Amino acid sequence: MYPFSFTKAAGTREALEAGRRGGRYIAGGTTLVDLMRETVERPRTLVDISALPMREVTDTARGGLRIGALVRMAEAAAHPKVRTLYPVISQALELSASAQLRNMATIGGNIMQRTRCAYFRDVTAACNKREPGSGCAALQGYNRTHAILGTSDHCVATHPSDVAVAFAALEASVHLLGPDGERSVPFADFLLQPGDTPNREQALRPGELITAVEIPPHPGPLKSGYMKVRDRQSYEFALTSAAVALHVRGGVIRQAKIAVGGVGTVPWRLPAVERRLTGRRPSDALWAEAAEGAAEGARPLTHNRFKVELLKRTVERQLRIVGGTK
Ligand code: SF4
């Protein structure tokens, strides 16, 4: 560790003022404190925002759901409306981290968490994300857990969040508050692919705070669920994962929303798979046919070629679980 100052914001205005002066927001601290211990992150000022009024799950006027940024992962997972309307969110949260971490970590912090690439966390290794221009040790190193989609020559790290995959599938938006006021960013635009600036991970402006994640209303009841495939059944990040939400009416799939995790530099939507499903009747043959396109555009590395096939099978299996067959 190294010296830093700590201030607790009593209200939103105070937090924004501290953020404007370069303070780094902290709530549950389950990622940031670890990274500070490892000296990967070196903020000079921490601004504790945990007293701000962002701890509610509320209905929106449009018929969607708004999850406050400071709602704990465990609280969001257990919320009756989240469980009933969006089991994909509850399942993604409950398959994340450990019970202790889920009791502490917040929704806003979860989507802000940084990659688990081991080279990123080793300050002696070359890493463009941690130190722009230094190189990427993972490209020639051990890259079994790294991404196969959305990669660049500068970074191949996966985004580690599970619930972000569910939010991507549900076409959520991220509400932000900053020195210039409020704005909302579609989830698909909030997390950034690495390109040639892997150090820039979110579409946040200086001093902006995440205030909530909003799930939009859907045209009809959704069946949804999350599957996570990992090396061990608990306290482990995804090798592959799939968030699937289907709106089926009259025996026909009217709308399909699918995003996958553990394989992309950001949660990865599968529009081609969704198109194959829309307007069709659920069947085992359809799930298999659609999932065949799940890894389209994949660029596997030396040690993670297995993810291509694993991803297809994860998507197929989760489609079968959520959609059933008739
Ligand atoms: Fe750093 Fe990204 Fe390379 Fe990992 S994959 S070493 S995070 S640049």
Side-chain angles (χ1 to χ4, degrees), residues 115 117 119-120 126-130 135-138 146 154-157 198:
T115 182
C117 171
Y119 302 107
F120 170 73
C127 173
N128 289 323
K129 192 182 276 298
R130 176 171 30 75
C136 172
H146 287 71
H154 304 277
C155 182
V156 290

Side-chain angles (χ1 to χ4, degrees), residues 284-296:
D284 282 348
L286 177 63
W287 307 141
E289 177 199 325
E292 198 48 43
E296 231 165 60

Side-chain angles (χ1 to χ4, degrees), residues 271-294:
V273 176
E274 294 170 2
R275 279 195 297 275
R276 284 189 202 185
L277 294 167
T278 306
R280 312 269 300 272
R281 291 185 175 275
S283 72
D284 282 348
L286 177 63
W287 307 141
E289 177 199 325
E292 198 48 43

Side-chain angles (χ1 to χ4, degrees), residues 114-122 125-131 134-139 143 146-147 152-158 194 198-199 201 265 301:
R114 306 199 69 189
T115 182
R116 309 308 291 197
C117 171
Y119 302 107
F120 170 73
R121 283 162 189 260
D122 173 359
C127 173
N128 289 323
K129 192 182 276 298
R130 176 171 30 75
E131 199 179 323
S134 63
C136 172
L139 285 172
N143 45 41
H146 287 71
S152 75
D153 292 341
H154 304 277
C155 182
V156 290
T158 54
N199 53 310
E201 296 173 331
T265 51
L301 303 160

